[in-house]
Amino acid sequence: MPTNKYVKSKPKLSITNLPNKGIKKVDFIDDFKQYYVHLLGRDENCRSPFYASSALSLVIRDRLMEHWNITHQTYSKNDCRRGYYLSMEFLMGRTLSNAMLNLGVTDTVTKAMYDLGIELEELISSEQDAGLGNGGLGRLAACFLDSCATLQLPILGYGLRYEYGMFTQTIVNGEQVEKPDHWLRHGNVWEIERLEYSHTIKFGGHTETTTDDDGHSKHTWIETSNVLAVPFDTPIPGYQNGTVNTLRLWKSVATEEFNLDEFNAGDYAEAVAAKNTAENITMVLYPNDANENGKELRLRQQYFLASASLQDVLAHWTGIHGNNFTRFAEKNCFQLNDTHPSIAIAELMRLLVDIHHLSWNEAWIITKNTMAYTNHTLLPEALERWSVKLMQRLLPRLMEIIFEINAQFMTDVSSHWPGDGERLRKMSIIEEGHEQQVRMAHLAIVGSFSVNGVAQLHTQLLQQGLFSDFYAFWPHKFNNKTNGVTPRRWLAACNPELASLISATIGDGWITDLSQLKKLEPYAEDAQFRKQWRAIKQAAKQSLIDYKKANHETELHLNVDAIFDMQVKRIHEYKRQLLNVLHVIHLYNRIKKGDTENWVARCVLIGGKAAPGYRMAKKVIKLINNVAQIINSDPDVGDKLALLFLSDYRVSAMEKICPGADLSEQISTAGKEASGTGNMKLMMNGAITIGTLDGANIEIREEVGEKNFFLFGLTEEQIESRRKHYNPLAIIDHDNDLKDVLHLLESGHFNQFEPGLFDDVISSIKNPHDPWMTIADFRSYIDAQKRVEEAYLDQERWTKMSIINCANSGKFSTDRTINEYNNEIWKLKPQPLNPQ
Ligand code: 26W
């Protein structure tokens, strides 16, 4: 048959071998026009920067696409071991400027836009933040992705594509008001939908056990309500190395069959309602950074992420290896970002045993050799527990598997500690009591080969406190991985002026090897260099002021010579924003008393969101705003002191704040902040820390030396031993400054028309059972703030300290953190791209 022959011999056209997209200025201009005019249908009369920003993003995305494909092919060709970062949160922020930096085209694009009469900065700042996270944990996941791509590690991020991200915060009458963040309303040019890789996720129903001819029992999970998980991929470029990794976010969609059943039964309304239940799963990010008290939807989200991601990895595996899982653990590794995705441990067992017919033991060996768990908090209220009843209803097969895992675990524990019933009770994955609960942290530890904390002190406290029984049982599983931040976003991109000075002085090797910043240290002694450094900091402070003014956030006259004193993070009692406010009130009292000799002007900026249901945190926001109003309008104060609440703190806000910070407030009760990462961003930009010996502050102080860190407060050990006989009233009685501060607060000076408003806040710190022991650290904090002022009075000395802080921030790059994860846990080989 001649036609067949002809078809066979027809050369296959490659549709992926495209001509390279140019990176010359003209190429950007041509492509930009193409998208702006032809795709988006706009012209020069269009007023909104949104479309120009979208067009430019598409131009940049094109340049990532080719490399994305090559990266993918390289991983496949090399059949390399791969890692998966499972996280309920990825706080990515904006993408455009980061993508341009990592592609190395920022300067060229700036010029191209200039030629078109467009200001690049306007396009960059018109991009919405992808706010798919609460705070530290979510942003850490985003920094990790940047470092993995920069280190050319084959890592895929798996998360949820929430329709609504972290709420936007507005302040009305001093109070937080939440507005939904419908960030996808105008589309998202960075994501690619990949319907062809969808998976079905089961909920509800019941299980059946049957025995096959060989006497093996077989478990089936039937009569379930199914939901479709559809992946959306975002490219994650490494820093100027060609690698483009993937962040894959799942969206929940109603399945066809799900609707059909209902339609056939003639119940249209039920069908539509069921569709909603399915599509609700990825509707909204829970805006709580502590606990979510057994909300069913939250458990649905967790299982949806775990099941979709594991099915995805297994589908890829069986596509190549069929049903042979012997080398699966050798080739795959999952990092669980806190316990949130830890149901993955039971789900992997289910998929291997029920679907792929491995024996329980084979599956268990694979599971505990592929899962690794990171803990991010010691706060008891943040430890996840799910009621057994809820799990039995929503995920019946998973609950059976968890019981089975626990039964075997309990056997192991009792043979290690025979007759120790108390130990069994404490370690069990199932907490007994009025209602049985699944302790997700225990499941995570039992099912993983690695358990890590996120700073030295935190890991030590996990080992000696919260998880001490597990540490005694499996000491080899435990390890520390001190957090970091990506220096690309948090220095190179957000502070280009400082970055240029650094590069001009020591070269630009620091961008991918942050330890090189150490070479800056000798320049702290160079008066000329200090002058340049100071000028850059001063300009950054001025642009922060200008930015706030332009956004109508303040009408206040802010003094650019004042100390810019920043505390930006979630509002939480353990982070002690209240201690900061007590200090501000103390300064106000000093001004009112005329105690202003050698006064150092100060501008205190506090920003952060409170969980919508966290009453006390919301009161703290109100207090900050009320105190600000009184102080800022008092003519006696003038520009000696200002207090400002920064509303809607988020990733892009931090990018503006970092360069202009002088002082970084890291003042949590010792032992409560697992690590902190804002502390690292501020340090990297030359802010000096005033802080307690908590989280990574301890390691920051180790790096910069005690002279370059304002230390105060009780240590974790002192906190715990004082707790028993803590007597805040006696402390107040012996401290006149503190007495004055509390007196002013209690007099209603800051709530003249709202009597009693702050009573609960005040009594919380006067309570001998105050878990955060704010009053205990007051004196030492005030004294440390005094040392801050003395240091600031001597601008040469302050600048030296600032340079030394930046120079010693090398340890806090996520490149270092990720290298440690990789060398000690993941063991992935870097994958340089094959020359094409
Ligand atoms: C809704 C349940 C929930 C519970 C806990 C959501 C989020 C959490 C996280 C533990 C909150 C969090 O972001 N923790 C922070 O993680 C950072 C990265 O490791 C650390 O630097 C912070 O100290 C820690 O508070």
Side-chain angles (χ1 to χ4, degrees), residues 94-230:
R94 291 175 178 152
T95 297
L96 177 59
S97 54
N98 190 250
M100 289 190 300
L101 174 78
N102 283 12
L103 277 173
V105 299
T106 311
D107 287 346
T108 318
V109 172
T110 310
K111 288 178 192 142
M113 292 299 109
Y114 177 86
D115 285 2
L116 290 167
I118 295 171
E119 209 201 313
L120 181 59
E121 183 50 41
E122 200 189 353
L123 304 195
I124 289 173
S125 43
S126 76
E127 185 182 346
Q128 286 253 12
D129 276 40
L132 307 186
N134 274 284
L137 164 144
R139 182 56 228 176
L140 185 73
C143 286
F144 276 9
L145 294 184
D146 183 81
S147 282
C148 288
T150 297
L151 295 167
Q152 304 195 295
L153 295 179
I155 282 272
L156 191 78
Y158 276 120
L160 295 181
R161 182 183 177 274
Y162 302 107
E163 198 82 27
Y164 291 85
M166 189 63 197
F167 64 82
T168 16
Q169 177 194 56
T170 55
I171 301 297
V172 178
N173 187 29
E175 282 169 23
Q176 166 173 302
V177 174
E178 301 95 22
K179 296 241 165 72
D181 165 45
H182 198 183
W183 73 294
L184 291 169
R185 185 168 35 217
H186 304 294
N188 171 12
V189 298
W190 297 106
E191 65 181 14
I192 309 268
E193 181 174 5
R194 297 205 193 277
L195 262 175
E196 68 275 29
Y197 297 119
S198 300
H199 300 282
T200 303
I201 315 297
K202 298 182 181 196
F203 291 99
H206 60 96
T207 61
E208 249 178 31
T209 310
T210 51
T211 313
D212 67 12
D213 298 343
D214 304 332
H216 296 126
S217 48
K218 199 174 157 250
H219 301 271
T220 42
W221 180 10
I222 52 174
E223 289 174 25
T224 50
S225 307
N226 296 348
V227 180
L228 209 58
V230 178

Side-chain angles (χ1 to χ4, degrees), residues 464-531:
Q464 290 162 6
L466 198 55
F467 298 152
S468 58
D469 292 320
F470 292 92
Y471 182 56
F473 196 39
W474 290 312
H476 55 277
K477 282 196 188 185
F478 285 76
N479 63 92
N480 175 247
K481 295 286 167 284
T482 298
N483 283 165
V485 304
T486 168
R488 268 73 64 187
R489 182 176 295 255
W490 296 112
L491 184 51
C494 78
N495 201 346
E497 294 77 12
L498 197 65
S500 303
L501 174 63
I502 295 171
S503 294
T505 311
I506 62 166
D508 63 6
W510 60 271
I511 299 176
T512 48
D513 171 12
L514 204 66
S515 65
Q516 291 189 27
L517 286 182
K518 191 78 184 169
K519 294 190 225 158
L520 276 179
E521 210 170 52
Y523 292 89
E525 298 304 323
D526 175 337
Q528 188 55 32
F529 184 79
R530 285 201 301 271
K531 201 171 155 198

Side-chain angles (χ1 to χ4, degrees), residues 324-345:
N324 182 354
F325 284 89
T326 26
R327 299 186 68 191
F328 185 80
E330 203 181 296
K331 292 287 190 179
N332 297 283
C333 171
F334 299 92
Q335 190 72 42
L336 306 174
N337 201 17
D338 216 296
T339 53
H340 316 157
S342 63
I343 189 74
I345 288 166

Side-chain angles (χ1 to χ4, degrees), residues 85 88-89 134-141 144 286-293 298 302 337-340 374-379 381-384 453-455 458 481 483-484 570 574-575 672-680 694-696 821:
Y85 199 76
M88 291 283 284
E89 307 188 10
N134 274 284
L137 164 144
R139 182 56 228 176
L140 185 73
F144 276 9
Y286 276 98
N288 212 324
D289 63 344
N291 68 330
E292 246 349 302
N293 289 330
R298 171 83 179 172
Q302 296 187 345
N337 201 17
D338 216 296
T339 53
H340 316 157
T374 305
N375 173 285
H376 292 267
T377 183
L378 288 158
L379 298 187
E381 64 267 34
L383 294 176
E384 292 193 300
V454 292
H458 173 230
K481 295 286 167 284
N483 283 165
R570 289 299 289 258
Y574 84 78
K575 296 179 189 279
K672 301 299 173 195
E673 187 70 270
S675 159
T677 45
N679 47 3
M680 301 168 183
D694 198 14
Y821 272 90

Side-chain angles (χ1 to χ4, degrees), residues 520-774:
L520 276 179
E521 210 170 52
Y523 292 89
E525 298 304 323
D526 175 337
Q528 188 55 32
F529 184 79
R530 285 201 301 271
K531 201 171 155 198
Q532 288 174 295
W533 189 273
R534 204 157 43 235
I536 289 169
K537 182 60 86 177
Q538 197 80 348
K541 289 164 75 172
Q542 188 58 52
S543 40
L544 185 57
I545 296 174
D546 297 344
Y547 173 74
K548 296 284 149 206
K549 293 241 150 114
N551 280 336
H552 308 288
E553 283 190 46
T554 184
E555 270 124 55
L556 215 60
H557 167 74
L558 296 172
N559 177 359
V560 72
D561 294 321
I563 304 177
F564 273 35
D565 172 348
M566 318 284 201
Q567 187 176 21
V568 282
K569 48 184 80 242
R570 289 299 289 258
I571 310 290
H572 203 294
E573 286 163 287
Y574 84 78
K575 296 179 189 279
R576 299 199 298 196
Q577 280 90 359
L578 257 179
L579 183 58
N580 193 345
V581 177
L582 296 184
H583 172 245
V584 173
I585 298 174
H586 166 70
L587 292 179
Y588 177 61
N589 275 339
R590 278 184 53 196
I591 294 171
K592 295 305 273 185
K593 279 195 298 199
D595 174 15
T596 54
E597 206 183 325
N598 283 333
W599 188 264
V600 181
R602 204 189 268 259
C603 180
V604 179
L605 302 157
I606 305 178
K609 292 174 185 175
Y614 190 172
R615 266 194 47 254
M616 205 53 116
K618 290 183 134 177
K619 265 292 167 66
V620 170
I621 293 180
K622 173 71 171 156
L623 177 66
I624 297 165
N625 281 299
N626 277 23
V627 171
Q629 218 210 341
I630 298 286
I631 291 184
N632 298 343
S633 60
D634 189 327
D636 291 347
V637 172
D639 63 6
K640 290 191 189 64
L641 177 64
L643 173 62
L644 207 64
F645 186 83
L646 302 171
S647 61
D648 205 31
Y649 174 62
R650 59 198 190 282
V651 173
S652 59
M654 186 55 153
E655 289 167 8
K656 302 237 158 56
I657 291 164
C658 274
D662 290 315
L663 186 66
S664 159
E665 299 267 355
Q666 309 299 337
I667 62 179
S668 52
T669 312
K672 301 299 173 195
E673 187 70 270
S675 159
T677 45
N679 47 3
M680 301 168 183
K681 294 164 198 162
L682 290 162
M683 168 201 205
M684 218 169 262
N685 284 275
I688 303 161
T689 307
I690 179 165
T692 49
L693 287 176
D694 198 14
N697 297 351
I698 297 174
E699 292 158 70
I700 289 179
R701 182 163 171 267
E702 252 165 45
E703 295 299 301
V704 299
E706 55 187 51
K707 290 202 312 247
N708 299 299
F709 185 105
F710 299 103
L711 178 69
F712 77 96
L714 299 174
T715 63
E716 189 274 331
E717 278 185 356
Q718 289 167 337
I719 288 272
E720 292 317 316
S721 69
R722 297 267 174 104
R723 211 179 268 296
K724 292 151 233 149
H725 42 90
Y726 179 47
N727 185 353
L729 296 184
I731 300 174
I732 296 165
D733 214 39
H734 286 96
D735 189 324
N736 286 332
D737 290 334
L738 181 53
K739 218 183 283 175
D740 289 349
V741 168
L742 284 170
H743 178 257
L744 195 62
L745 254 175
E746 286 170 334
S747 73
H749 187 69
F750 302 108
N751 50 310
Q752 281 167 21
F753 305 103
E754 302 155 299
L757 187 65
F758 299 125
D759 288 0
D760 46 0
V761 175
I762 300 166
S763 60
S764 78
I765 54 176
K766 290 172 84 173
N767 186 331
H769 302 295
D770 172 19
W772 323 115
M773 296 174 68
T774 304

